[in-house]
Amino acid sequence: MTSPFEQVPLADLQQRTSLKWRFFEPDVLPLWVAEMDVLPAEAITRAVHDAMRRGDTGYPAGTQYAGAFARFADARWGAPVDVARTALVSDVMMGAFELIRLLTPPGGRVIVTSPVYPPFHAYARHAERRVVEAPLDDDLRLDLSAIEEACAASAEAGAVLLLCNPHNPTGTVHTRAELEAVAQVAARHGVRVVSDEVHAPIVFDAHFTPYWTVDPRGLSITSASKAFNLAGLRTALIVGGAETGSDLASIAEVVSHGPSHIASIAHVAAFDEGGAWLDAVLAGLRENRAVLERALAEHAPSIRWRRGEATYLAWLDCRGTRVAETDARADAGYIGLSSGPAKAFLDRARVGLSAGEAFGTGGENHVRFNLGTRPDVIEEAVRRMGSVA
């Protein structure tokens, strides 16, 4: 069976007009932003086409999205979803932004487990909250001591712990025991937990535990956007634990007007009918991970990689390379390319990656590499990187 990542020729990918393929110059191999180079599931294409043909292009209504996700969560993880404790939002980070504003006062704290998805930092600052880092440990797992310290220091100001599960960029899947320990720490200090779970369907060998199942006051935000490659069809869902009804009821009405009805139709089709497509993508990603491992060993042995348990993102350690910098830094923003290995790989190898420095403490001299592409593109990118590393 042909991998989903080999169905679209590179020349056709280069004709795409999305951010991934338009941000850099045409000669750059773009392996940065979280878009996959695949065709959508047929069920999604059919659902969107049918909606357009019947003129079903109005405002979203009802709980179809929540119902579809509930069925998906039960089938994939055995996790129950109470549809009454959900809220539709335009996308995961806008949901996080709204919850940060709802659960903390102006000047409050947002605790993040760095290195972590750069918008966690940016959105918290835009909400006029202060970012407090609780860095991952040396094994790229949650450091409970650091989280305890951050919660204790932040509780008086009012704080939210913003988790990423599975973790972006490392691909770590937090265990149920780890999440239960986090819930206990947060409860002890009166800190609320919001968990970004947009990459949850892309888990390989680990078992995924949704945060709302371990913390009655916990709030998870999810979407089909990453696993089903629907970033351009914006909608997402907040799922709350047993004691979050009042929180969800307090979400401003303006927030519920952001989701796209067509996007919701697409996401419902993904969750209800996209299972076989997703399994094929997971199989293709397993193959791509093997390609990356072989290519690094052959072309760039100074770059280290510890396989994550989830996501189509690889977190590459470039500290032992010739392009490592003692004062590597990143501009604020999504990729940050002011210095460091990512800038060297772009300027000298024509490979576009996300700079690790943009992910906060622990990201120095790392890069994030998107595996959701053609295997020959992965091979060529690593070959180019190895020529300068």
Side-chain angles (χ1 to χ4, degrees):
M1 181 178 178
T2 303
S3 166
F5 298 100
E6 296 182 271
Q7 293 178 348
V8 186
L10 178 59
D12 289 353
L13 292 172
Q14 290 170 328
Q15 296 304 309
R16 291 187 174 183
T17 59
S18 64
L19 181 64
K20 179 179 182 180
W21 289 95
R22 286 292 177 263
F23 186 84
F24 295 110
E25 295 173 343
D27 65 323
V28 173
L29 293 178
L31 298 171
W32 64 295
V33 73
E35 297 178 23
M36 289 193 288
D37 297 333
V38 292
L39 297 173
E42 289 184 11
I44 296 172
T45 301
R46 184 173 60 251
V48 171
H49 175 75
D50 290 348
M52 295 296 293
R53 189 168 56 183
R54 65 178 178 265
D56 192 3
T57 55
Y59 296 105
T63 58
Q64 292 92 336
Y65 190 106
F69 177 71
R71 292 185 290 274
F72 181 88
D74 180 58
R76 291 270 165 167
W77 313 313
V81 174
D82 184 343
V83 171
R85 287 199 303 274
T86 64
L88 203 63
V89 291
S90 60
D91 62 27
V92 168
M93 283 311 303
M94 285 307 297
F97 181 77
E98 177 62 22
L99 290 175
I100 288 168
R101 296 202 303 171
L102 179 67
L103 300 174
T104 62
R109 306 293 186 261
V110 177
I111 301 165
V112 300
T113 53
S114 299
V116 74
Y117 184 47
F120 278 22
H121 298 259
Y123 277 60
R125 288 192 292 266
H126 187 66
E128 300 182 342
R129 270 58 170 178
R130 176 182 164 191
V131 175
V132 177
E133 293 184 306
L136 302 176
D137 66 18
D138 292 340
D139 293 322
L140 304 180
R141 304 205 70 88
L142 297 175
D143 186 330
L144 266 296
S145 297
I147 292 173
E148 177 95 50
E149 182 179 345
C151 287
S154 305
E156 186 174 345
V160 158
L161 170 59
L162 189 54
L163 281 182
C164 198
N165 181 36
H167 197 83
N168 174 0
T170 66
T172 300
V173 177
H174 310 315
T175 66
R176 174 170 286 274
E178 288 171 328
L179 294 175
E180 288 173 344
V182 166
Q184 291 171 5
V185 169
R188 187 156 55 244
H189 296 285
V191 172
R192 299 294 299 277
V193 179
V194 174
S195 182
D196 170 356
E197 298 178 355
V198 72
H199 285 280
I202 311 172
V203 173
F204 298 103
D205 301 316
H207 177 72
F208 175 72
T209 301
Y211 189 76
W212 81 81
T213 66
V214 303
D215 182 352
R217 301 180 73 222
L219 292 150
S220 299
I221 318 173
T222 191
S223 169
S225 63
K226 298 305 181 188
F228 294 92
N229 209 42
L230 299 175
L233 293 169
R234 296 179 61 202
T235 189
L237 192 71
I238 299 174
V239 183
E243 298 175 11
T244 61
S246 61
D247 299 314
L248 294 167
S250 300
I251 293 176
E253 183 180 1
V254 65
V255 177
S256 66
H257 283 278
S260 157
H261 181 45
I262 291 293
S264 295
I265 289 171
H267 288 226
V268 168
F271 284 133
D272 272 343
E273 303 177 67
W277 182 93
L278 178 59
D279 290 339
V281 164
L282 287 167
L285 288 173
R286 290 180 188 276
E287 295 171 5
N288 285 1
R289 283 150 58 97
V291 170
L292 176 63
E293 192 166 58
R294 289 195 302 269
L296 287 172
E298 179 177 356
H299 301 298
S302 63
I303 299 175
R304 303 297 180 188
W305 174 46
R306 182 183 305 185
R307 281 195 181 204
E309 301 162 305
T311 81
Y312 50 85
L313 307 169
W315 186 235
L316 304 185
D317 183 348
C318 303
R319 289 176 291 183
T321 68
R322 291 175 291 172
V323 295
E325 296 185 12
T326 56
D327 62 344
R329 64 197 181 282
D331 296 328
Y334 191 75
I335 58 170
L337 289 170
S338 60
S339 67
K343 187 175 189 300
F345 291 137
L346 176 61
D347 292 344
R348 295 159 55 188
R350 308 309 283 162
V351 178
L353 305 164
S354 297
E357 292 75 18
F359 291 74
T361 298
E364 303 84 358
N365 287 310
H366 287 69
V367 294
R368 195 187 71 176
F369 185 112
N370 184 342
L371 284 163
T373 190
R374 294 181 54 85
D376 55 344
V377 170
I378 294 171
E379 180 88 26
E380 172 61 14
V382 174
R383 187 194 63 77
R384 294 185 188 185
M385 293 164 65
S387 70
V388 302

PDB file of all heavy atoms in Angstrom, residues 263-293:
ATOM      1  N   ALA A 263     -15.934  24.135   8.426  1.00  0.00           N
ATOM      2  CA  ALA A 263     -14.856  23.455   9.152  1.00  0.00           C
ATOM      3  C   ALA A 263     -15.417  22.391  10.088  1.00  0.00           C
ATOM      4  O   ALA A 263     -14.893  21.269  10.173  1.00  0.00           O
ATOM      5  CB  ALA A 263     -14.030  24.468   9.931  1.00  0.00           C
ATOM      6  N   SER A 264     -16.488  22.727  10.792  1.00  0.00           N
ATOM      7  CA  SER A 264     -17.081  21.757  11.713  1.00  0.00           C
ATOM      8  C   SER A 264     -17.587  20.530  10.970  1.00  0.00           C
ATOM      9  O   SER A 264     -17.432  19.391  11.427  1.00  0.00           O
ATOM     10  CB  SER A 264     -18.214  22.413  12.510  1.00  0.00           C
ATOM     11  OG  SER A 264     -17.709  23.435  13.360  1.00  0.00           O
ATOM     12  N   ILE A 265     -18.176  20.739   9.793  1.00  0.00           N
ATOM     13  CA  ILE A 265     -18.627  19.609   8.973  1.00  0.00           C
ATOM     14  C   ILE A 265     -17.441  18.719   8.604  1.00  0.00           C
ATOM     15  O   ILE A 265     -17.512  17.486   8.672  1.00  0.00           O
ATOM     16  CB  ILE A 265     -19.349  20.136   7.712  1.00  0.00           C
ATOM     17  CG1 ILE A 265     -20.708  20.732   8.096  1.00  0.00           C
ATOM     18  CG2 ILE A 265     -19.516  19.029   6.669  1.00  0.00           C
ATOM     19  CD1 ILE A 265     -21.395  21.476   6.968  1.00  0.00           C
ATOM     20  N   ALA A 266     -16.331  19.354   8.226  1.00  0.00           N
ATOM     21  CA  ALA A 266     -15.129  18.600   7.864  1.00  0.00           C
ATOM     22  C   ALA A 266     -14.590  17.815   9.048  1.00  0.00           C
ATOM     23  O   ALA A 266     -14.202  16.644   8.928  1.00  0.00           O
ATOM     24  CB  ALA A 266     -14.062  19.549   7.324  1.00  0.00           C
ATOM     25  N   HIS A 267     -14.543  18.444  10.223  1.00  0.00           N
ATOM     26  CA  HIS A 267     -13.995  17.794  11.412  1.00  0.00           C
ATOM     27  C   HIS A 267     -14.890  16.647  11.882  1.00  0.00           C
ATOM     28  O   HIS A 267     -14.397  15.621  12.349  1.00  0.00           O
ATOM     29  CB  HIS A 267     -13.799  18.819  12.523  1.00  0.00           C
ATOM     30  CG  HIS A 267     -12.659  19.748  12.284  1.00  0.00           C
ATOM     31  ND1 HIS A 267     -11.727  20.055  13.262  1.00  0.00           N
ATOM     32  CD2 HIS A 267     -12.278  20.456  11.190  1.00  0.00           C
ATOM     33  CE1 HIS A 267     -10.830  20.903  12.777  1.00  0.00           C
ATOM     34  NE2 HIS A 267     -11.156  21.168  11.525  1.00  0.00           N
ATOM     35  N   VAL A 268     -16.201  16.818  11.766  1.00  0.00           N
ATOM     36  CA  VAL A 268     -17.111  15.729  12.117  1.00  0.00           C
ATOM     37  C   VAL A 268     -16.847  14.524  11.225  1.00  0.00           C
ATOM     38  O   VAL A 268     -16.770  13.375  11.686  1.00  0.00           O
ATOM     39  CB  VAL A 268     -18.584  16.190  11.998  1.00  0.00           C
ATOM     40  CG1 VAL A 268     -19.531  14.990  12.059  1.00  0.00           C
ATOM     41  CG2 VAL A 268     -18.921  17.173  13.114  1.00  0.00           C
ATOM     42  N   ALA A 269     -16.685  14.763   9.924  1.00  0.00           N
ATOM     43  CA  ALA A 269     -16.378  13.661   9.005  1.00  0.00           C
ATOM     44  C   ALA A 269     -15.053  13.005   9.365  1.00  0.00           C
ATOM     45  O   ALA A 269     -14.912  11.773   9.282  1.00  0.00           O
ATOM     46  CB  ALA A 269     -16.343  14.183   7.565  1.00  0.00           C
ATOM     47  N   ALA A 270     -14.082  13.809   9.767  1.00  0.00           N
ATOM     48  CA  ALA A 270     -12.778  13.255  10.152  1.00  0.00           C
ATOM     49  C   ALA A 270     -12.918  12.312  11.339  1.00  0.00           C
ATOM     50  O   ALA A 270     -12.442  11.167  11.305  1.00  0.00           O
ATOM     51  CB  ALA A 270     -11.818  14.395  10.483  1.00  0.00           C
ATOM     52  N   PHE A 271     -13.561  12.782  12.395  1.00  0.00           N
ATOM     53  CA  PHE A 271     -13.683  11.969  13.606  1.00  0.00           C
ATOM     54  C   PHE A 271     -14.570  10.746  13.389  1.00  0.00           C
ATOM     55  O   PHE A 271     -14.296   9.668  13.922  1.00  0.00           O
ATOM     56  CB  PHE A 271     -14.225  12.820  14.756  1.00  0.00           C
ATOM     57  CG  PHE A 271     -13.220  13.765  15.365  1.00  0.00           C
ATOM     58  CD1 PHE A 271     -13.544  15.090  15.595  1.00  0.00           C
ATOM     59  CD2 PHE A 271     -11.959  13.321  15.719  1.00  0.00           C
ATOM     60  CE1 PHE A 271     -12.629  15.962  16.167  1.00  0.00           C
ATOM     61  CE2 PHE A 271     -11.030  14.191  16.288  1.00  0.00           C
ATOM     62  CZ  PHE A 271     -11.365  15.511  16.510  1.00  0.00           C
ATOM     63  N   ASP A 272     -15.629  10.895  12.601  1.00  0.00           N
ATOM     64  CA  ASP A 272     -16.577   9.785  12.428  1.00  0.00           C
ATOM     65  C   ASP A 272     -16.162   8.802  11.339  1.00  0.00           C
ATOM     66  O   ASP A 272     -16.445   7.600  11.444  1.00  0.00           O
ATOM     67  CB  ASP A 272     -17.970  10.340  12.091  1.00  0.00           C
ATOM     68  CG  ASP A 272     -18.801  10.643  13.335  1.00  0.00           C
ATOM     69  OD1 ASP A 272     -18.449  10.137  14.425  1.00  0.00           O
ATOM     70  OD2 ASP A 272     -19.803  11.374  13.210  1.00  0.00           O
ATOM     71  N   GLU A 273     -15.498   9.291  10.278  1.00  0.00           N
ATOM     72  CA  GLU A 273     -15.258   8.433   9.120  1.00  0.00           C
ATOM     73  C   GLU A 273     -13.787   8.370   8.699  1.00  0.00           C
ATOM     74  O   GLU A 273     -13.481   7.686   7.712  1.00  0.00           O
ATOM     75  CB  GLU A 273     -16.080   8.927   7.925  1.00  0.00           C
ATOM     76  CG  GLU A 273     -17.587   9.003   8.183  1.00  0.00           C
ATOM     77  CD  GLU A 273     -18.323   9.566   6.985  1.00  0.00           C
ATOM     78  OE1 GLU A 273     -18.345   8.882   5.939  1.00  0.00           O
ATOM     79  OE2 GLU A 273     -18.839  10.702   7.093  1.00  0.00           O
ATOM     80  N   GLY A 274     -12.913   9.041   9.405  1.00  0.00           N
ATOM     81  CA  GLY A 274     -11.518   9.125   8.968  1.00  0.00           C
ATOM     82  C   GLY A 274     -10.574   8.154   9.640  1.00  0.00           C
ATOM     83  O   GLY A 274      -9.356   8.286   9.492  1.00  0.00           O
ATOM     84  N   GLY A 275     -11.084   7.165  10.352  1.00  0.00           N
ATOM     85  CA  GLY A 275     -10.224   6.271  11.108  1.00  0.00           C
ATOM     86  C   GLY A 275      -9.232   5.500  10.254  1.00  0.00           C
ATOM     87  O   GLY A 275      -8.038   5.393  10.591  1.00  0.00           O
ATOM     88  N   ALA A 276      -9.689   4.947   9.135  1.00  0.00           N
ATOM     89  CA  ALA A 276      -8.795   4.173   8.267  1.00  0.00           C
ATOM     90  C   ALA A 276      -7.721   5.079   7.664  1.00  0.00           C
ATOM     91  O   ALA A 276      -6.548   4.682   7.549  1.00  0.00           O
ATOM     92  CB  ALA A 276      -9.599   3.479   7.172  1.00  0.00           C
ATOM     93  N   TRP A 277      -8.123   6.276   7.259  1.00  0.00           N
ATOM     94  CA  TRP A 277      -7.157   7.244   6.727  1.00  0.00           C
ATOM     95  C   TRP A 277      -6.106   7.577   7.781  1.00  0.00           C
ATOM     96  O   TRP A 277      -4.895   7.599   7.492  1.00  0.00           O
ATOM     97  CB  TRP A 277      -7.895   8.505   6.293  1.00  0.00           C
ATOM     98  CG  TRP A 277      -7.037   9.573   5.685  1.00  0.00           C
ATOM     99  CD1 TRP A 277      -6.765   9.757   4.370  1.00  0.00           C
ATOM    100  CD2 TRP A 277      -6.350  10.622   6.388  1.00  0.00           C
ATOM    101  NE1 TRP A 277      -5.947  10.856   4.195  1.00  0.00           N
ATOM    102  CE2 TRP A 277      -5.670  11.396   5.417  1.00  0.00           C
ATOM    103  CE3 TRP A 277      -6.229  10.985   7.732  1.00  0.00           C
ATOM    104  CZ2 TRP A 277      -4.901  12.511   5.753  1.00  0.00           C
ATOM    105  CZ3 TRP A 277      -5.453  12.075   8.074  1.00  0.00           C
ATOM    106  CH2 TRP A 277      -4.810  12.842   7.087  1.00  0.00           C
ATOM    107  N   LEU A 278      -6.541   7.819   9.013  1.00  0.00           N
ATOM    108  CA  LEU A 278      -5.610   8.138  10.092  1.00  0.00           C
ATOM    109  C   LEU A 278      -4.651   6.984  10.351  1.00  0.00           C
ATOM    110  O   LEU A 278      -3.446   7.197  10.556  1.00  0.00           O
ATOM    111  CB  LEU A 278      -6.389   8.480  11.365  1.00  0.00           C
ATOM    112  CG  LEU A 278      -5.561   8.804  12.609  1.00  0.00           C
ATOM    113  CD1 LEU A 278      -4.649   9.993  12.376  1.00  0.00           C
ATOM    114  CD2 LEU A 278      -6.483   9.061  13.802  1.00  0.00           C
ATOM    115  N   ASP A 279      -5.139   5.773  10.327  1.00  0.00           N
ATOM    116  CA  ASP A 279      -4.263   4.624  10.539  1.00  0.00           C
ATOM    117  C   ASP A 279      -3.208   4.529   9.440  1.00  0.00           C
ATOM    118  O   ASP A 279      -2.049   4.172   9.703  1.00  0.00           O
ATOM    119  CB  ASP A 279      -5.087   3.340  10.598  1.00  0.00           C
ATOM    120  CG  ASP A 279      -5.929   3.242  11.865  1.00  0.00           C
ATOM    121  OD1 ASP A 279      -5.597   3.928  12.852  1.00  0.00           O
ATOM    122  OD2 ASP A 279      -6.929   2.487  11.856  1.00  0.00           O
ATOM    123  N   ALA A 280      -3.588   4.862   8.201  1.00  0.00           N
ATOM    124  CA  ALA A 280      -2.617   4.852   7.104  1.00  0.00           C
ATOM    125  C   ALA A 280      -1.564   5.938   7.302  1.00  0.00           C
ATOM    126  O   ALA A 280      -0.373   5.729   7.030  1.00  0.00           O
ATOM    127  CB  ALA A 280      -3.329   5.037   5.774  1.00  0.00           C
ATOM    128  N   VAL A 281      -1.990   7.092   7.794  1.00  0.00           N
ATOM    129  CA  VAL A 281      -1.049   8.169   8.082  1.00  0.00           C
ATOM    130  C   VAL A 281      -0.080   7.752   9.197  1.00  0.00           C
ATOM    131  O   VAL A 281       1.132   7.993   9.103  1.00  0.00           O
ATOM    132  CB  VAL A 281      -1.804   9.456   8.461  1.00  0.00           C
ATOM    133  CG1 VAL A 281      -0.881  10.477   9.129  1.00  0.00           C
ATOM    134  CG2 VAL A 281      -2.442  10.068   7.212  1.00  0.00           C
ATOM    135  N   LEU A 282      -0.603   7.118  10.231  1.00  0.00           N
ATOM    136  CA  LEU A 282       0.265   6.648  11.314  1.00  0.00           C
ATOM    137  C   LEU A 282       1.294   5.639  10.796  1.00  0.00           C
ATOM    138  O   LEU A 282       2.470   5.682  11.182  1.00  0.00           O
ATOM    139  CB  LEU A 282      -0.575   6.027  12.432  1.00  0.00           C
ATOM    140  CG  LEU A 282      -1.369   7.027  13.284  1.00  0.00           C
ATOM    141  CD1 LEU A 282      -2.400   6.299  14.141  1.00  0.00           C
ATOM    142  CD2 LEU A 282      -0.424   7.830  14.168  1.00  0.00           C
ATOM    143  N   ALA A 283       0.857   4.750   9.913  1.00  0.00           N
ATOM    144  CA  ALA A 283       1.795   3.791   9.327  1.00  0.00           C
ATOM    145  C   ALA A 283       2.855   4.514   8.503  1.00  0.00           C
ATOM    146  O   ALA A 283       4.050   4.180   8.564  1.00  0.00           O
ATOM    147  CB  ALA A 283       1.040   2.776   8.471  1.00  0.00           C
ATOM    148  N   GLY A 284       2.433   5.513   7.727  1.00  0.00           N
ATOM    149  CA  GLY A 284       3.388   6.287   6.947  1.00  0.00           C
ATOM    150  C   GLY A 284       4.360   7.052   7.818  1.00  0.00           C
ATOM    151  O   GLY A 284       5.560   7.162   7.485  1.00  0.00           O
ATOM    152  N   LEU A 285       3.891   7.562   8.926  1.00  0.00           N
ATOM    153  CA  LEU A 285       4.774   8.286   9.836  1.00  0.00           C
ATOM    154  C   LEU A 285       5.779   7.343  10.495  1.00  0.00           C
ATOM    155  O   LEU A 285       6.936   7.730  10.731  1.00  0.00           O
ATOM    156  CB  LEU A 285       3.954   9.018  10.903  1.00  0.00           C
ATOM    157  CG  LEU A 285       3.181  10.238  10.401  1.00  0.00           C
ATOM    158  CD1 LEU A 285       2.271  10.786  11.496  1.00  0.00           C
ATOM    159  CD2 LEU A 285       4.144  11.328   9.923  1.00  0.00           C
ATOM    160  N   ARG A 286       5.379   6.125  10.787  1.00  0.00           N
ATOM    161  CA  ARG A 286       6.339   5.148  11.311  1.00  0.00           C
ATOM    162  C   ARG A 286       7.469   4.938  10.301  1.00  0.00           C
ATOM    163  O   ARG A 286       8.652   4.886  10.671  1.00  0.00           O
ATOM    164  CB  ARG A 286       5.636   3.825  11.611  1.00  0.00           C
ATOM    165  CG  ARG A 286       4.696   3.853  12.800  1.00  0.00           C
ATOM    166  CD  ARG A 286       4.059   2.480  13.010  1.00  0.00           C
ATOM    167  NE  ARG A 286       3.023   2.519  14.020  1.00  0.00           N
ATOM    168  CZ  ARG A 286       3.247   2.425  15.330  1.00  0.00           C
ATOM    169  NH1 ARG A 286       4.482   2.275  15.779  1.00  0.00           N
ATOM    170  NH2 ARG A 286       2.249   2.455  16.185  1.00  0.00           N
ATOM    171  N   GLU A 287       7.100   4.816   9.033  1.00  0.00           N
ATOM    172  CA  GLU A 287       8.111   4.650   7.990  1.00  0.00           C
ATOM    173  C   GLU A 287       8.999   5.891   7.892  1.00  0.00           C
ATOM    174  O   GLU A 287      10.226   5.786   7.745  1.00  0.00           O
ATOM    175  CB  GLU A 287       7.434   4.381   6.650  1.00  0.00           C
ATOM    176  CG  GLU A 287       6.662   3.071   6.593  1.00  0.00           C
ATOM    177  CD  GLU A 287       5.822   2.941   5.333  1.00  0.00           C
ATOM    178  OE1 GLU A 287       5.919   3.841   4.460  1.00  0.00           O
ATOM    179  OE2 GLU A 287       5.094   1.931   5.214  1.00  0.00           O
ATOM    180  N   ASN A 288       8.399   7.064   7.973  1.00  0.00           N
ATOM    181  CA  ASN A 288       9.175   8.300   7.895  1.00  0.00           C
ATOM    182  C   ASN A 288      10.124   8.452   9.066  1.00  0.00           C
ATOM    183  O   ASN A 288      11.235   8.985   8.916  1.00  0.00           O
ATOM    184  CB  ASN A 288       8.236   9.507   7.812  1.00  0.00           C
ATOM    185  CG  ASN A 288       7.601   9.671   6.449  1.00  0.00           C
ATOM    186  OD1 ASN A 288       7.834   8.865   5.549  1.00  0.00           O
ATOM    187  ND2 ASN A 288       6.782  10.694   6.292  1.00  0.00           N
ATOM    188  N   ARG A 289       9.703   8.006  10.244  1.00  0.00           N
ATOM    189  CA  ARG A 289      10.592   8.045  11.409  1.00  0.00           C
ATOM    190  C   ARG A 289      11.815   7.157  11.170  1.00  0.00           C
ATOM    191  O   ARG A 289      12.933   7.516  11.541  1.00  0.00           O
ATOM    192  CB  ARG A 289       9.832   7.610  12.664  1.00  0.00           C
ATOM    193  CG  ARG A 289       8.912   8.701  13.209  1.00  0.00           C
ATOM    194  CD  ARG A 289       7.687   8.152  13.932  1.00  0.00           C
ATOM    195  NE  ARG A 289       7.969   7.286  15.039  1.00  0.00           N
ATOM    196  CZ  ARG A 289       7.994   7.659  16.331  1.00  0.00           C
ATOM    197  NH1 ARG A 289       7.789   8.934  16.630  1.00  0.00           N
ATOM    198  NH2 ARG A 289       8.204   6.792  17.281  1.00  0.00           N
ATOM    199  N   ALA A 290      11.604   6.008  10.559  1.00  0.00           N
ATOM    200  CA  ALA A 290      12.724   5.116  10.241  1.00  0.00           C
ATOM    201  C   ALA A 290      13.642   5.753   9.201  1.00  0.00           C
ATOM    202  O   ALA A 290      14.876   5.624   9.283  1.00  0.00           O
ATOM    203  CB  ALA A 290      12.198   3.772   9.747  1.00  0.00           C
ATOM    204  N   VAL A 291      13.058   6.444   8.221  1.00  0.00           N
ATOM    205  CA  VAL A 291      13.859   7.149   7.220  1.00  0.00           C
ATOM    206  C   VAL A 291      14.734   8.203   7.887  1.00  0.00           C
ATOM    207  O   VAL A 291      15.933   8.327   7.590  1.00  0.00           O
ATOM    208  CB  VAL A 291      12.951   7.792   6.157  1.00  0.00           C
ATOM    209  CG1 VAL A 291      13.749   8.740   5.256  1.00  0.00           C
ATOM    210  CG2 VAL A 291      12.271   6.727   5.316  1.00  0.00           C
ATOM    211  N   LEU A 292      14.142   8.991   8.782  1.00  0.00           N
ATOM    212  CA  LEU A 292      14.907  10.022   9.482  1.00  0.00           C
ATOM    213  C   LEU A 292      16.046   9.401  10.273  1.00  0.00           C
ATOM    214  O   LEU A 292      17.187   9.905  10.247  1.00  0.00           O
ATOM    215  CB  LEU A 292      13.995  10.831  10.400  1.00  0.00           C
ATOM    216  CG  LEU A 292      14.695  11.888  11.264  1.00  0.00           C
ATOM    217  CD1 LEU A 292      15.343  12.959  10.385  1.00  0.00           C
ATOM    218  CD2 LEU A 292      13.725  12.525  12.256  1.00  0.00           C
ATOM    219  N   GLU A 293      15.771   8.339  10.988  1.00  0.00           N
ATOM    220  CA  GLU A 293      16.807   7.698  11.804  1.00  0.00           C
ATOM    221  C   GLU A 293      17.978   7.223  10.942  1.00  0.00           C
ATOM    222  O   GLU A 293      19.147   7.446  11.277  1.00  0.00           O
ATOM    223  CB  GLU A 293      16.193   6.522  12.567  1.00  0.00           C
ATOM    224  CG  GLU A 293      17.084   5.953  13.646  1.00  0.00           C
ATOM    225  CD  GLU A 293      16.308   5.048  14.583  1.00  0.00           C
ATOM    226  OE1 GLU A 293      15.714   4.072  14.092  1.00  0.00           O
ATOM    227  OE2 GLU A 293      16.278   5.325  15.794  1.00  0.00           O
TER     228      GLU A 293
END
